[in-house]
C-alpha cells in the first residue's frame, strides 16, 4: 500500500494507525509473497515477471483472493478479473471485448450524453461543492447500462447500479461495511433482464444463466463503473489543483494530444490499481540466484513502478509526455498485453476525454482537498460556472472550508478504515470465499456455509 506525499505530510494524521493498517493487510497473504519492484529487483524485473507465462494464476492459492472475493461478492468466481486462465476466461474476455467495441464517435457521444445528464442538475448560477466520484458515478452507470442493453438507462436501473458500485468501492477502501442486500437488488434486476433476453449481446456460453448475471454485474456494473468514476475524479481533481493545465484545456477543448497527455500523467501519478496480484503456476527466475517457486504470490505495485524512470516523479507534469512515448515509459495504466490486459484500454481514454470536455465546457474546477491515489474522500471539489466572475463571492471562504474539512476527515477516516478494514479482513478469513470455491471444485461439495450467511457483518 503506497501513501501519497500529501498524506505523509499531514502532521495530524495518526501515522501509527496507518502503519498498523498496512501491517494487517500485508499479513493476509502469508509468507509466500514478493512485491515488485523492490529494493533488490527493479522495474526491469517487474516487467519481465509480469509478462512471464507462469505468472498466470489469478485467485487460487492467494490469501488476498479471499479478501477481494469477499469485497466483490456476489459472483466473484465468474468476475472476469478473477477467472483462472483457460477456455472459460477466454470466452468471457472475448464477450467483454465485443461489448466495448463500439465506434469511437458513438462511444464518445454516449459518454458525453451521460455526463451531461448529471451536470444538468448542477446549478449554473452559483458555486457548488461536490464529491467528484459521487457526481460522475450515476453518469457511468447510465453509460455502462447503454453498452449492455443498447437503450437509454431508466432511473431505477441507474440507481441500482450506482448503489451497488458505490457499496463495492466503499468497502474496498474500508470506509464502510458491505451491504449485500444492495447488491442483491441489482442481481435480481439483472436476472430478470437476462431471463427476458434483453441483453443486446451474446453472453458467454460457458456460463450458466446465474453466472451470466454475475458476470454482467461484476464486469460492467462494478468494475467498469467504479474505475471510470475513479479515473474521472482523479483527472478532474488534478485539474482543480493545476489551474494552468485546466485553462489550457478549456481554451482548446479539441486538442486531443494535450488532453491525452493529461490523462497519461494522471494515470501515471494516480494509477487506479495499487496492487495487482498473480499466483505463479511454474518457476520464475528473478535473477541469477533467485527463483520464485510455483505457488508464489507476486504483488505488482503500480505506484512504485510508475515512479521509476522519470525526472521529478512526484510532480504532475503533463508536458513530460511530449518528450516520452508511453510504450517506452514505465507506464501500464491498463496492464500489460502479455498478462490479462484491461479490455477497456481503447474505450477508457475515449470516454474520459469526452467527460473532461463536458465538465470543462461548463465549469472551472477548484479544490484545496488533498489528492492521494486512493481518494477515500471521493474528491471534494468546487464547481464554478463559467459565467461567474474569476473571483466570485464566497470562493475564498469555500476554499478554506474544503481545506479544513478535508484535514479533519483525514483523522477520523484513518481510524474508521483501521477498524472496518480489520473487521472485514477477519470476516473474509473466516468465510474463505475463494478457498471454498476451489475446494468445492476439487471435491464436489462445499465445505462451509455460503459467505453471505456468516455472522451478518455488513448485512
Amino acid at each position: 500500500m503506497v501513501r501519497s506525499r500529501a498524506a505523509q505530510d499531514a502532521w495530524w494524521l495518526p501515522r501509527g494507525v496507518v502503519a498498523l493498517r498496512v501491517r494487517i493487510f500485508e499479513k493476509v497473504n502469508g509468507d509466500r509473497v514478493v512485491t515488485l519492484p523492490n529494493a533488490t529487483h527493479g522495474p526491469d524485473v517487474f516487467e519481465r515477471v509480469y509478462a512471464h507465462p507462469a505468472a498466470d494464476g489469478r485467485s487460487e492459492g492467494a490469501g488476498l483472493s479471499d479478501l477481494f472475493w469477499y469485497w466483490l461478492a456476489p459472483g466473484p468466481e465468474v468476475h472476469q478479473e478473477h477467472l483462472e486462465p483457460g477456455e472459460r476466461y477466454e470466452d468471457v474476455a472475448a464477450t467483454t471485448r465485443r461489448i466495448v467495441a463500439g465506434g469511437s464517435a458513438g462511444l464518445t457521444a454516449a459518454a458525453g450524453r451521460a455526463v451531461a445528464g448529471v451536470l444538468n442538475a448542477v446549478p449554473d448560477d452559483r458555486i457548488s461543492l461536490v464529491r467528484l466520484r459521487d457526481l460522475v458515478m450515476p453518469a457511468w452507470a447510465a453509460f455502462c447500462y447503454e453498452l449492455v442493453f443498447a437503450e437509454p438507462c431508466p432511473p431505477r436501473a441507474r440507481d441500482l447500479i450506482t448503489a451497488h458500485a458505490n457499496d463495492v468501492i466503499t468497502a474496498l477502501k474500508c470506509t464502510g461495511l458491505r451491504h449485500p442486500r444492495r447488491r442483491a437488488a441489482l442481481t435480481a434486476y439483472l436476472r430478470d433482464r437476462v431471463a427476458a433476453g434483453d441483453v443486446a449481446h451474446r453472453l458467454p456460453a460457458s456460463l450458466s444463466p446465474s453466472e451470466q448475471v454475475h458476470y454482467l454485474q461484476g464486469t460492467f456494473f462494478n468494475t467498469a463503473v467504479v474505475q471510470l468514476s475513479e479515473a474521472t475524479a482523479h483527472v478532474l481533481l488534478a485539474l482543480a489543483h493545476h489551474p494552468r493545465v485546466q485553462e489550457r484545456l478549456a481554451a482548446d477543448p479539441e486538442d486531443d494530444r494535450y488532453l491525452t497527455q493529461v490523462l497519461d500523467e494522471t494515470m501515471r501519478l494516480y494509477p487506479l490499481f495499487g496492487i495487482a496480484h498473480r499466483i505463479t503456476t511454474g518457476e520464475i527466475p528473478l535473477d541469477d540466484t533467485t527463483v520464485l517457486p510455483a505457488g508464489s504470490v507476486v504483488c505488482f505495485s503500480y505506484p512504485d513502478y510508475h515512479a521509476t524512470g522519470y525526472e521529478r516523479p512526484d510532480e504532475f507534469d503533463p508536458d513530460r509526455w511530449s518528450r516520452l512515448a508511453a510504450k517506452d515509459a514505465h507506464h501500464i495504466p491498463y496492464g500489460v498485453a502479455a498478462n490479462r490486459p484491461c479490455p477497456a484500454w481503447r474505450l477508457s481514454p475515449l470516454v474520459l476525454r469526452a467527460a473532461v470536455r463536458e465538465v470543462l465546457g461548463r465549469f472551472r474546477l477548484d479544490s484545496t482537498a488533498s489528492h492521494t491515489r486512493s481518494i477515500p474522500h471521493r474528491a471534494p471539489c468546487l464547481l464554478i460556472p463559467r459565467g461567474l466572475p474569476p473571483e466570485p463571492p464566497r470562493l475564498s471562504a469555500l476554499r478554506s472550508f474544503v481545506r479544513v474539512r478535508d484535514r479533519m476527515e483525514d483523522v477520523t477516516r484513518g481510524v474508521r478504515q483501521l477498524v472496518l478494514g480489520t473487521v472485514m479482513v477477519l470476516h473474509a478469513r473466516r468465510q474463505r470465499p475463494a478457498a471454498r470455491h476451489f475446494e468445492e471444485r476439487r471435491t464436489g461439495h462445499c465445505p462451509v456455509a455460503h459467505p453471505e450467511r456468516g455472522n451478518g457483518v455488513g448485512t
Side-chain angles (χ1 to χ4, degrees):
M1 184 176 297
V2 178
R3 289 178 292 148
S4 73
R5 178 165 295 176
Q8 293 169 345
D9 289 344
W11 60 267
W12 46 81
L13 186 67
R15 289 189 177 92
V17 169
V18 176
L20 183 56
R21 284 182 58 221
V22 171
R23 288 198 293 272
I24 289 171
F25 280 81
E26 286 175 344
K27 287 293 184 182
V28 173
N29 266 318
D31 298 324
R32 297 180 302 163
V33 181
V34 61
T35 299
L36 298 174
N38 56 41
T40 305
H41 301 103
D44 56 331
V45 177
F46 175 102
E47 295 166 355
R48 178 165 51 78
V49 174
Y50 207 151
H52 198 284
D56 62 345
R58 190 59 190 92
S59 294
E60 187 171 10
L64 269 179
S65 299
D66 280 329
L67 188 54
F68 281 109
W69 282 40
Y70 173 88
W71 276 326
L72 291 172
E77 65 273 17
V78 292
H79 189 293
Q80 180 174 327
E81 179 61 17
H82 295 271
L83 284 172
E84 298 303 305
E87 291 183 4
R88 203 156 76 134
Y89 167 75
E90 297 299 335
D91 187 20
V92 167
T95 302
T96 302
R97 290 193 297 269
R98 284 199 308 272
I99 294 175
V100 302
S104 298
L107 292 171
T108 298
R113 287 195 305 271
V115 174
V118 299
L119 295 182
N120 288 340
V122 179
D124 61 2
D125 58 352
R126 64 180 185 272
I127 301 172
S128 298
L129 173 56
V130 301
R131 308 265 184 173
L132 290 169
R133 196 184 81 198
D134 296 348
L135 175 71
V136 300
M137 188 171 280
W140 294 122
F143 173 79
C144 291
Y145 176 97
E146 190 170 333
L147 280 180
V148 171
F149 294 105
E151 63 183 25
C153 182
R156 176 170 176 259
R158 182 197 59 212
D159 293 345
L160 287 172
I161 296 166
T162 301
H164 163 75
N166 185 65
D167 191 62
V168 170
I169 193 61
T170 298
L172 278 166
K173 295 182 188 297
C174 301
T175 54
L177 293 172
R178 303 176 313 150
H179 297 83
R181 289 188 181 91
R182 292 181 192 170
R183 306 183 186 196
L186 178 59
T187 306
Y189 174 85
L190 293 174
R191 184 180 298 119
D192 291 343
R193 298 298 302 275
V194 170
D198 294 337
V199 178
H201 307 272
R202 178 172 54 83
L203 294 175
S206 60
L207 302 182
S208 69
S210 176
E211 290 172 332
Q212 290 174 347
V213 169
H214 289 150
Y215 156 69
L216 292 174
Q217 183 162 348
T219 302
F220 293 96
F221 303 128
N222 168 10
T223 299
V225 173
V226 164
Q227 300 292 22
L228 286 170
S229 301
E230 293 264 298
T232 309
H234 274 301
V235 175
L236 297 179
L237 189 58
L239 294 176
H241 284 178
H242 298 86
R244 290 184 180 178
V245 175
Q246 179 183 164
E247 288 311 308
R248 179 174 168 182
L249 286 176
D252 188 2
E254 299 307 315
D255 185 353
D256 265 358
R257 185 170 180 272
Y258 187 62
L259 181 48
T260 298
Q261 290 177 199
V262 171
L263 295 181
D264 283 341
E265 182 66 353
T266 303
M267 295 299 101
R268 183 197 69 81
L269 196 55
Y270 306 106
L272 298 180
F273 292 100
I275 292 287
H277 75 279
R278 299 288 186 268
I279 302 94
T280 60
T281 54
E283 292 186 346
I284 301 178
L286 292 181
D287 53 40
D288 292 339
T289 60
T290 309
V291 175
L292 282 178
S296 299
V297 179
V298 188
C299 291
F300 299 98
S301 173
Y302 279 56
D304 288 339
Y305 177 70
H306 280 187
T308 62
Y310 299 94
E311 296 179 2
R312 308 178 311 280
D314 294 333
E315 292 185 15
F316 180 81
D317 179 16
D319 285 322
R320 77 170 77 240
W321 293 99
S322 63
R323 307 179 298 273
L324 287 171
K327 64 182 181 63
D328 299 323
H330 296 166
H331 186 247
I332 51 169
Y334 304 108
V336 297
N339 194 341
R340 304 168 73 113
C342 174
W345 65 268
R346 172 182 165 272
L347 173 144
S348 292
L350 284 173
V351 300
L352 287 173
R353 286 196 294 265
V356 171
R357 288 193 181 102
E358 193 67 39
V359 174
L360 292 186
R362 301 180 186 221
F363 301 101
R364 288 190 293 117
L365 308 170
D366 189 292
S367 182
T368 51
S370 59
H371 193 173
T372 64
R373 190 202 66 78
S374 64
I375 51 170
H377 54 23
R378 313 191 310 281
C381 187
L382 299 171
L383 300 185
I384 307 169
R386 289 280 171 189
L388 296 187
E391 291 293 328
R394 299 177 59 235
L395 177 59
S396 179
L398 285 170
R399 296 181 89 249
S400 297
F401 171 76
V402 172
R403 180 186 298 109
V404 172
R405 186 183 67 173
D406 181 53
R407 304 308 185 263
M408 293 177 64
E409 287 180 348
D410 269 346
V411 179
T412 57
R413 186 188 306 112
V415 176
R416 185 168 71 253
Q417 287 178 298
L418 171 65
V419 173
L420 299 183
T422 302
V423 167
M424 288 189 284
V425 166
L426 295 176
H427 194 214
R429 294 192 72 172
R430 270 199 309 275
Q431 296 298 319
R432 302 169 58 246
R436 285 187 314 99
H437 171 75
F438 291 108
E439 288 174 18
E440 183 178 6
R441 286 174 65 91
R442 286 193 301 270
T443 65
H445 63 85
C446 186
V448 295
H450 191 279
E452 298 303 334
R453 298 177 188 158
N455 61 14
V457 172
T459 59

